[in-house]
Amino acid sequence: MEALEIERPEGLRRAGREDSALLGAITADAFRDDPFNHWTFGNETAMRHTFTSYARHVYTPRGYSCLAGDGAVAMWLGPGGDKELPFHAMPGLAAALLASGGPRALIRGMAADAALAAHKPQMPHVYLFTIAVRPALQGQGYGRRLMQPVLKACDRARLPAYLESSNPANLGFYGSLGFKVIGEIQIAPGAPPMTPMWRDAR
């Protein structure tokens, strides 16, 4: 993400690895009733472990994570960025998932990761991993404030953006920012579908 010139408005700050636990907590809080994440992990604790690990090992050191206070966050990865956890981080996350969500959370989490990787577009793009706003703050414009600086940077760099929406209720929001549905990802029978969305540079 260093190649993108991202201009953050007042009230937003770039998150570092030291913020990983906060990023994980905000995301789990926001996603506690999310259909896909609830099916995958079963509870908020397992979600928190997962998002904290990815924040610490992938999206703060390799990508761009931005915080609005302690209630909203977005995590991005630039073109060609590696979204896989490093090997040394996998045992800790696996143990945490087994303890908090049982074998189901670990198996479904691995299946989801493999399915999403298989559907990842090959064309260079900026990837939105998560955008999360705590329930008490939703509807106050935090999501748009977090999205717009990166999307404007994408437009300046003539780069498309990509995401997978885990909740049908969010499709209208993403659509208002220029994203279009490009298919459906079914992880397993009975799993809520993920909706991949693509935004061309403007």
Side-chain angles (χ1 to χ4, degrees), residues 12-37:
L12 301 185
R13 70 175 179 89
R14 184 165 186 172
R17 293 186 80 166
E18 68 278 7
D19 298 303
S20 296
L22 177 59
L23 271 59
I26 294 171
T27 308
D29 187 21
F31 285 11
R32 68 173 89 160
D33 296 321
D34 178 89
F36 178 81
N37 283 281

Side-chain angles (χ1 to χ4, degrees), residues 53-124:
S53 185
Y54 275 90
R56 177 174 294 117
H57 298 292
V58 178
Y59 291 95
T60 57
R62 302 179 193 166
Y64 174 81
S65 298
C66 190
L67 275 163
D70 62 356
V73 62
M75 292 187 267
W76 302 81
L77 201 60
D82 182 3
K83 59 188 286 189
E84 298 300 316
L85 280 177
F87 181 77
H88 68 82
M90 294 179 183
L93 177 57
L97 284 178
L98 283 171
S100 59
R104 186 189 85 163
L106 180 59
I107 293 169
R108 290 185 175 185
M110 293 173 62
D113 187 63
L116 297 181
H119 285 82
K120 179 183 177 183
Q122 296 304 305
M123 179 180 177

